[in-house]
């Protein structure tokens, strides 16, 4: 009885074991399939990343505010600059090492060879150089402490990186050459011109900028503007400078007064001469008119009196009486005198 009951139990256990083994094998197969599927997905992701990386390394972008130096195995092959940049070619021709360097005046998207081509970028914006305080002597031997500034830009990034490397290096180079050039030009100005004549100062600074750019052309940079923004007079020179400025202004005032007095005297002389000429002309004209009038009157008298000579003689005698005899006159004449003939009948 007991033996018959144990056999069915044993068979049941065997069936359960087989089911468990089949289920385990099925789960193992499903896991392997899932792993393979995941591996394919991961492989696809890795390939996609590699493809994107390779594709991104085939191109580079130069922005509007950037310049680029393109190298192959460390050698500069191309530079990318602004569209209106004409200085890059001129500077490129100064260095034989760059004779085969290509200049591209177009920014944006460009092709490169991955892992062979490297791109270095610099700014195309204007940069500012500010000098330390420096002493100058004007033409009239006046000393000043000045500070200068300059606005400059990178025009040839290849030359810039080879010669200077950084913006600080460029500022140091400008500092080396700017002082001597600017001082030489400012020394041609008097202190009054330096302080008050902006046009004269700008003129010599423009010449200085031209000289500086010729010296800095091989460095791949270009100065756009330069000016003196601070001028300090040494204390020892203040009093003498004030006296000199006062004397110069007094001399200018005296010159203006002298010129005014000369103009006044010339004007008075011209006026007096014109008055004399006008008077002389008027007198001459009046004498001429009076002469003509007298001649006309005499002619009229002659015509009139010729018609009655006795009356004319009588009239002339009366006029002479009027002019020679008054109430206080005493005349001693013979009564037979012809002059008194008109009194005889009285």
């Amino acid at each position: 009885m007991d033996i018959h009951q144990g056999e069915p139990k044993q068979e049941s256990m065997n069936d359960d074991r087989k089911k468990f083994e089949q289920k385990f094998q099925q789960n193992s197969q499903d896991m392997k399939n899932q792993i393979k599927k995941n591996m394919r997905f991961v492989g696809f992701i890795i390939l996609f990343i590699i493809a994107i990386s390779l594709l991104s390394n085939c191109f580079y972008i130069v922005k509007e505010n950037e310049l680029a130096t393109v190298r192959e195995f460390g050698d500069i092959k191309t530079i990318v600059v602004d569209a209106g940049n004409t200085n890059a070619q001129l500077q490129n021709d100064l260095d034989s090492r760059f004779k085969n360097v290509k200049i591209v005046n177009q920014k944006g998207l460009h092709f490169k060879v991955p892992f062979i081509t490297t791109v270095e970028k610099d700014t195309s914006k204007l940069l500012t150089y500010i000098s330390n305080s420096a002493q100058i002597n004007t033409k009239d031997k006046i000393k000043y402490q000045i500070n200068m500034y300059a606005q400059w830009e990178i025009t040839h990034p290849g030359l810039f990186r080879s010669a200077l490397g950084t913006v600080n290096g460029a500022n140091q180079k400008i500092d080396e050459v700017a002082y001597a050039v600017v001082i030489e030009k400012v020394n041609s100005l008097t202190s009054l011109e330096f302080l008050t004549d902006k046009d004269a100062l700008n003129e010599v600074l423009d010449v200085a900028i031209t000289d500086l750019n010729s010296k800095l052309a091989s460095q791949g940079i270009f100065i756009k503007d330069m000016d003196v923004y601070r001028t300090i007079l040494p204390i020892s020179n203040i009093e003498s400078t004030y006296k000199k400025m006062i004397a110069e202004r007094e001399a200018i005032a005296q010159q203006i007064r002298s010129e005014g007095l000369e103009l006044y005297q010339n004007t008075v002389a011209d006026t007096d001469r014109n008055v004399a000429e006008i008077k002389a002309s008027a007198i001459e004209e009046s004498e001429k008119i009076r002469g003509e009038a007298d001649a006309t009157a005499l002619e009229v008298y002659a015509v009139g009196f010729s018609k009655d000579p006795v009356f004319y003689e009588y009239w002339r005698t009366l006029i002479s009486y009027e002019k020679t005899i008054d109430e206080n006159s005493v005349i001693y004449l013979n009564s037979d005198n012809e002059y008194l003939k008109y009194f005889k009948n009285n």
Side-chain angles (χ1 to χ4, degrees), residues 276-343:
E277 290 176 355
I278 292 171
K279 284 183 177 179
S281 177
I283 291 172
E284 180 183 359
E285 183 69 19
S286 65
E287 291 296 332
K288 181 180 178 181
I289 294 172
R290 183 179 289 111
E292 291 176 352
D294 289 343
T296 302
L298 290 174
E299 183 180 353
V300 172
Y301 288 153
V303 172
F305 292 140
S306 65
K307 295 181 179 181
D308 192 349
V310 176
F311 175 77
Y312 174 70
E313 181 184 359
Y314 173 72
W315 180 76
R316 292 293 295 175
T317 302
L318 291 178
I319 290 177
S320 69
Y321 288 164
E322 182 180 4
K323 291 183 177 181
T324 58
I325 300 173
D326 58 20
E327 60 185 4
N328 297 319
S329 298
V330 178
I331 301 175
Y332 296 94
L333 293 174
N334 191 308
S335 60
D336 295 330
N337 190 293
E338 185 67 20
Y339 184 66
L340 299 177
K341 65 179 181 179
Y342 293 109
F343 292 94

Side-chain angles (χ1 to χ4, degrees), residues 1-18:
M1 187 71 179
D2 294 332
I3 293 174
H4 290 292
Q5 288 178 351
E7 288 180 355
K9 289 182 179 179
Q10 184 68 33
E11 289 178 358
S12 176
M13 291 177 64
N14 291 335
D15 291 339
D16 292 339
R17 185 182 297 111
K18 288 180 180 180

Side-chain angles (χ1 to χ4, degrees), residues 117-155:
T117 302
T118 58
V119 179
E120 301 166 340
K121 295 181 180 180
D122 295 291
T123 181
S124 64
K125 297 179 180 179
L126 283 177
L127 301 167
T128 301
Y129 154 79
I130 299 178
S131 74
N132 295 321
S133 180
Q135 181 174 287
I136 64 165
N137 293 308
T138 58
K139 189 177 180 179
D140 49 351
K141 309 304 180 184
I142 303 297
K143 296 179 180 180
Y144 295 97
Q145 295 290 332
I146 66 169
N147 290 83
M148 301 177 296
Y149 78 89
Q151 295 288 313
W152 62 277
E153 62 182 351
I154 302 170
T155 48

Side-chain angles (χ1 to χ4, degrees), residues 217-285:
S218 60
Q219 313 296 311
I221 62 177
F222 186 84
I223 295 178
K224 300 281 285 186
D225 186 30
M226 175 175 284
D227 203 352
V228 176
Y229 75 92
R230 180 180 297 166
T231 302
I232 302 174
L233 185 68
I235 296 176
S236 59
N237 289 348
I238 290 178
E239 185 176 355
S240 62
T241 300
Y242 282 164
K243 289 181 179 178
K244 184 175 180 62
M245 292 175 68
I246 290 171
E248 289 175 346
R249 280 159 176 76
E250 287 179 348
I252 293 172
Q254 183 59 44
Q255 180 181 357
I256 293 173
R257 283 194 294 269
S258 299
E259 291 174 353
L261 179 59
E262 181 182 359
L263 179 60
Y264 166 76
Q265 291 174 342
N266 291 337
T267 303
V268 170
D270 290 341
T271 303
D272 290 343
R273 185 174 61 253
N274 291 335
V275 169
E277 290 176 355
I278 292 171
K279 284 183 177 179
S281 177
I283 291 172
E284 180 183 359
E285 183 69 19

